[in-house]
Every structure is written in structure tokens, then in C-alpha cells.
């Protein structure tokens, strides 16, 4: 996921359109309000292998494009919009 988002940031140009689709698992830390994507190759018991919503947002912001859409089918998909 990280490799692909970084590749999109490097290769996309202002006239491109980008759609990012994620249909994996996620975790919401109720105490902190922080959300995470848990990729298929990550261990659910190992938070070090999760990707934070804030990291996803930063990587998406680095993609130059005319249009950028994200479709997230995770179990708590609304959490990413609550984080800055």
C-alpha cells in the first residue's frame, strides 16, 4: 500500500485522475480516536504493521492529480474523515 501510494505520488501529473480503493480491515483506537488500515500481510496482533489514517492522508495529499477519489470499504471507514 505504501509503495503504491508513493509510486502514484511520483508518477501522477496534474491532468491525471486517481482512484484509490481499499476493502481491507481496519482498527479504531477508541481512546485516541486514531484509525488504522490493517493490510492483508499485516498481523492484527502487531500494531507496528498497521498503517495509520494520518499516514494515508499524508500520502494521498502528495499525489498530484486533477481528481482524486478514495473508496474505503473498511469496517470503520468514516474514521479517516474525522482525522486531520
Amino acid at each position: 500500500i505504501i509503495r503504491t501510494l508513493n509510486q502514484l505520488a511520483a508518477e501522477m501529473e496534474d491532468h491525471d485522475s486517481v482512484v484509490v480503493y481499499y476493502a481491507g480491515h481496519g482498527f479504531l483506537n477508541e481512546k485516541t480516536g486514531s484509525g488504522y488500515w490493517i493490510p492483508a500481510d499485516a498481523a492484527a496482533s502487531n500494531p507496528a504493521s498497521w498503517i495509520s489514517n494520518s499516514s494515508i492522508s499524508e500520502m494521498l495529499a502528495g499525489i498530484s492529480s486533477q481528481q482524486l477519489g478514495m473508496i474505503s470499504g473498511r469496517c470503520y471507514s468514516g474514521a479517516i474523515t474525522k482525522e486531520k
Side-chain angles (χ1 to χ4, degrees), residues 27-28 34-37 51-58 74 76 79-81 83-84:
F27 175 77
L28 177 63
S34 299
Y36 301 88
W37 288 12
I51 305 169
S52 71
N53 283 351
S54 57
S55 292
I56 296 294
S57 294
E58 288 172 13
R74 307 176 274 140
Y76 70 99
I80 198 166
T81 60
E83 295 182 27
K84 294 185 178 183

Side-chain angles (χ1 to χ4, degrees), residues 19-48:
V19 174
V20 175
Y21 176 76
Y22 179 74
H25 291 284
F27 175 77
L28 177 63
N29 184 324
E30 301 271 339
K31 288 185 178 183
T32 65
S34 299
Y36 301 88
W37 288 12
I38 304 176
D41 61 349
S45 61
N46 180 11

Side-chain angles (χ1 to χ4, degrees), residues 59-77:
M59 287 183 272
L60 291 174
I63 299 172
S64 295
S65 62
Q66 181 176 354
Q67 300 173 325
L68 178 100
M70 184 181 73
I71 302 167
S72 178
R74 307 176 274 140
C75 54
Y76 70 99
S77 59

